[in-house]
Amino acid sequence: DHFLVRQADAMGADYRDETEVTDIQWRQESARLSLRSAGRTTREEASFVVDASGPRGALARLLELPEIPLAAGYPATQALFSHFRGVGLF
């Protein structure tokens, strides 16, 4: 994680740790986020948002996205979105 934070910082990302997203409002070209950290609330506007808050995280909660169970026979697991090469279809 530390490596990824350093890389993101070097590329200009605004990294926030121990910050709760309490609200999100969608705009034409951006999202307006209400953030709470150390007992203080701030608002930020972003054209791109990465939710790295874990399974059923901030955006899932704020957007009230339903949790869709896996089909019968699949193990309880989590998904990883990435790009792989040389991996066959499941």
Side-chain angles (χ1 to χ4, degrees):
D1 290 350
H2 183 66
F3 170 79
L4 294 175
V5 169
R6 286 194 339 249
Q7 291 297 108
D9 184 57
M11 296 178 78
D14 183 8
Y15 173 76
R16 308 275 179 104
D17 197 17
E18 297 185 24
T19 300
E20 178 186 6
V21 180
T22 58
D23 188 38
I24 188 166
Q25 297 172 346
W26 299 106
R27 308 268 189 213
Q28 183 89 11
E29 300 281 331
S30 63
R32 187 170 203 181
L33 304 162
S34 294
L35 308 170
R36 185 174 22 226
S37 181
R40 184 172 162 238
T41 298
T42 59
R43 287 196 173 80
E44 300 287 343
E45 196 147 335
S47 58
F48 190 86
V49 177
V50 175
D51 181 357
S53 57
R56 307 296 305 151
L59 290 181
R61 177 178 47 81
L62 291 170
L63 298 175
E64 299 178 353
L65 299 177
E67 187 166 358
I68 301 170
L70 294 172
Y74 283 87
T77 186
Q78 295 180 25
L80 168 68
F81 177 81
S82 190
H83 297 276
F84 298 93
R85 293 182 184 187
V87 177
L89 295 176
F90 178 64

